[in-house]
Amino acid sequence: MRIGIDVGGTNTDAVLMDGTAVVSSTKTPTTANVSEGIARALRDVIADSGINTETIDGVMIGTTHFTNAVVERKHLTPTACIRLGLPATVCLPPMVDWPLDLRDIVGGNAHLAHGGHEFDGREISAFEPDEVRDIAEKIKAAGLNAIAISSVFSPVNSTFEEQSAEIVRSVIPNANITLSSEIGRIGLLERENAAIMNSCLRQLAARTVDGFKAALDELQIASPFYISQNDGTLMNADFAKEYPVLTFASGPTNSMRGAAFLSGLKDAIVVDVGGTTTDIGVLQHGFPRVAALAVEIGGVRTNFRMPDTYSIGLGGGSLIQEDPLKVGPRSVGYELTEKALVFGGDVLTTTDVIVAGGGEDIGNKHAVSGLDAGLVTAVQARIMEMIAIAVDRMKTSATPVPVIVVGGGSILVTGEIEGASEIIKPDHFPVANAIGAAIAQVGGECDRIFSLAELSRDEALDQAKQEASDRAINAGAAAESVDIVDVEEVPLAYLPGNATRIMVKAVGDLVGA
């Protein structure tokens, strides 16, 4: 048996699954202390099902904790950055594109050194160990131990990053080092940003993961637990401590994977309506479509793998402004059960409107019986218009496609969605996100540029597939279960040497699953 948990801005959802069957589920308000909310959700599903905790094989958790830390500028560790690339890249130093307030919190401690490679592995300049050692001494003198190391085209050749890490550790034995080649893709600034962000979150990641473990220990759950990644796969808890940035989009991704599982569809658009926002994404082969462009997190451009999603300020707790009519983006969030009219509050929300229109029987429907019928109709129409526009933005053609509606706030979807061939609201739709976490596999990815003048296409593909498989295994997948689920080749005509970018994704079942 598995337990899946998804921590959202409004609710913390948990589900107990026996194979592919949902045994028990719960939805509780998210708490300020995320671990407390998780413990409460766990207690609810265990009490409801009456199971022996010894029968639980694993707990899968999706959390917005690290995303919120960046967005809210909280719990971030000052971090130094070492970039290898001189004499190139001088014009755009590390953190040049960061918001000033975030750069000040992280420290803006950046250093340039010689090294780096061209796309085909040729050196830009020779690596100078003494130069890196001097930089490490300066970082030590500044009292920093969180360090990000980036090198030009390190996904092609990571040697200089690895050598620099060894030197830094000889100077700062307890250094918390992130290599950009282990996280991001080809683009230097975005990959470097991701590495810096990862290092500044590691202390928080250690505390958070330990907090999750404490919550499980309190309930005498001895099974291993895993954290959801951006691409709909899992990583073990220790891996999550090392790479917290890989959890940033786990919320909408879990919902999309859960929607695919519950509906049986592999290719569709998913509309996940929560309490605060609605996230729209595209399923391809059962996994979220990956964003092709850099994704901003808290105002910082990054290029690690992220789902291509579009979010709008529409949810079950969205505030209604009557004149002129406006729905969201402000929301009462996790205070919905205190502030909405149907729950005895004094704030008009979208949930109140849906109850008044007879679409749902929640709380005290008599509290909204006096709402103007014209207002109710206008709000419902506006909600459907917002969703239709968002769905249209995610489509790549005018052809109607299936739309799967999930999430606790999906009661807002009361009519047809323009451009949808059908609307599917599967069983257990309110907790699709927790189900997505519970059924997730473990994944790994390779994104590299190969020179086909030096090796054959088949050899390049084999290398990329092996690297993706190795990363999946390192993240906790059983070696014998790993499959390649996606291969993409992009010839780079503007580069010499018959250069080709190869992106491979591998997934496998958890060890012992």
Side-chain angles (χ1 to χ4, degrees):
M1 287 190 171
R2 291 183 176 188
I3 290 180
I5 299 174
D6 189 90
V7 185
T10 303
N11 292 305
T12 295
D13 300 338
V15 61
L16 173 66
M17 298 190 69
D18 185 0
T20 59
V22 177
V23 178
S24 175
S25 64
T26 187
K27 184 182 289 286
T28 64
T30 294
T31 56
N33 182 328
V34 176
S35 299
E36 291 179 5
I38 289 175
R40 182 189 303 169
L42 281 168
R43 279 193 291 270
D44 287 350
V45 292
I46 291 171
D48 181 59
S49 61
I51 65 161
N52 186 333
T53 55
E54 293 180 359
T55 64
I56 298 172
D57 300 314
V59 178
M60 292 71 184
I61 301 173
T63 177
T64 58
H65 208 48
F66 307 121
T67 315
N68 294 343
V70 175
V71 172
E72 297 173 9
R73 311 317 200 219
K74 293 180 179 179
H75 313 299
L76 304 178
T77 304
T79 300
C81 177
I82 302 174
R83 180 196 290 172
L84 308 166
L86 288 177
T89 78
V90 175
C91 294
L92 296 172
M95 292 181 268
V96 65
D97 57 342
W98 285 44
L100 292 179
D101 63 333
L102 183 56
R103 186 165 61 192
D104 289 342
I105 292 170
V106 175
N109 192 306
H111 306 268
L112 299 179
H114 288 81
H117 291 85
E118 301 289 356
F119 83 97
D120 57 1
R122 290 179 291 117
E123 292 183 5
I124 293 176
S125 61
F127 179 70
E128 298 182 13
D130 290 340
E131 183 181 32
V132 174
R133 188 170 287 105
D134 290 342
I135 291 173
E137 292 287 358
K138 293 177 182 178
I139 294 172
K140 182 179 180 180
L144 303 177
N145 77 328
I147 301 159
I149 300 176
S150 67
S151 179
V152 180
F153 276 114
S154 61
V156 175
N157 188 332
S158 61
T159 302
F160 289 165
E161 286 190 358
E162 293 164 1
Q163 291 176 345
S164 297
E166 291 179 8
I167 294 170
V168 171
R169 286 195 181 97
S170 69
V171 176
I172 311 172
N174 66 335
N176 152 24
I177 300 173
T178 298
L179 304 185
S180 73
S181 56
E182 296 176 345
I183 293 181
R185 297 181 170 185
I186 298 299
L188 173 64
L189 288 180
E190 293 84 0
R191 171 166 44 84
E192 183 177 75
N193 289 345
I196 297 169
M197 202 173 286
N198 192 72
S199 279
C200 78
L201 284 168
R202 272 191 176 160
Q203 285 189 14
L204 174 63
R207 293 196 303 270
T208 301
V209 171
D210 289 344
F212 292 165
K213 187 176 187 305
L216 297 177
D217 289 343
E218 178 187 339
L219 297 169
Q220 298 181 324
I221 298 175
S223 58
F225 72 99
Y226 304 87
I227 308 293
S228 299
Q229 294 193 86
N230 298 323
D231 62 354
T233 59
L234 298 170
M235 53 185 167
N236 61 43
D238 291 335
F239 197 82
K241 284 185 178 182
E242 294 295 311
Y243 303 106
V245 294
L246 299 183
T247 71
F248 276 172
S250 63
T253 301
N254 284 341
S255 294
M256 294 174 67
R257 288 283 289 142
F261 172 80
L262 292 172
S263 67
L265 296 179
K266 300 294 185 183
D267 298 281
I269 287 181
V270 177
V271 176
D272 176 22
V273 190
T276 305
T277 61
T278 294
D279 300 312
I280 299 91
V282 179
L283 282 172
Q284 291 181 332
H285 313 299
F287 285 87
R289 183 175 71 193
V290 177
L293 303 175
V295 177
E296 283 199 2
I297 305 295
V300 178
R301 287 166 55 87
T302 62
N303 68 350
F304 45 81
R305 59 183 184 272
M306 290 281 280
D308 184 12
T309 59
Y310 177 57
S311 297
I312 57 176
L314 172 67
S318 294
L319 303 184
I320 305 298
Q321 178 181 296
E322 297 185 38
D323 189 19
L325 181 63
K326 186 177 182 181
V327 180
R330 294 176 57 217
S331 170
V332 294
Y334 61 83
E335 295 180 311
L336 175 65
T337 55
E338 300 172 12
K339 293 191 173 182
L341 297 179
V342 292
F343 294 114
D346 58 359
V347 178
L348 179 61
T349 69
T350 49
T351 296
D352 297 318
V353 170
I354 298 304
V355 172
E360 195 72 26
D361 188 6
I362 298 175
N364 178 16
K365 62 182 180 181
H366 299 294
V368 292
S369 59
L371 285 183
D372 180 72
L375 173 65
V376 171
T377 301
V379 171
Q380 290 178 323
R382 177 59 183 148
I383 289 171
M384 295 309 301
E385 179 187 12
M386 293 170 69
I387 293 173
I389 292 172
V391 167
D392 188 62
R393 284 191 56 158
M394 297 303 293
K395 293 173 63 179
T396 55
S397 73
T399 306
V401 295
V403 174
I404 309 168
V405 180
V406 295
S410 56
I411 59 172
L412 302 187
V413 181
T414 55
E416 297 297 318
I417 299 175
E418 188 174 347
S421 60
E422 59 177 325
I423 299 176
I424 301 162
K425 191 179 290 187
D427 292 338
H428 307 295
F429 67 87
V431 291
N433 46 9
I435 291 173
I439 58 100
Q441 294 174 293
V442 180
E445 185 187 67
C446 172
D447 183 352
R448 287 180 53 191
I449 294 177
F450 292 86
S451 174
L452 299 188
E454 299 177 359
L455 71 169
S456 69
R457 173 178 174 272
D458 287 342
E459 289 173 332
L461 283 171
D462 287 343
Q463 283 189 26
K465 290 177 182 178
Q466 187 61 51
E467 183 174 324
S469 298
D470 289 344
R471 290 188 174 186
I473 293 168
N474 291 338
E480 67 277 6
S481 70
V482 174
D483 288 321
I484 304 299
V485 297
D486 192 31
V487 178
E488 186 176 350
E489 297 178 69
V490 182
L492 304 178
Y494 54 87
L495 293 177
N498 196 14
T500 299
R501 181 182 180 185
I502 299 178
M503 291 159 280
V504 177
K505 181 176 180 178
V507 298
D509 296 328
L510 281 168
V511 172

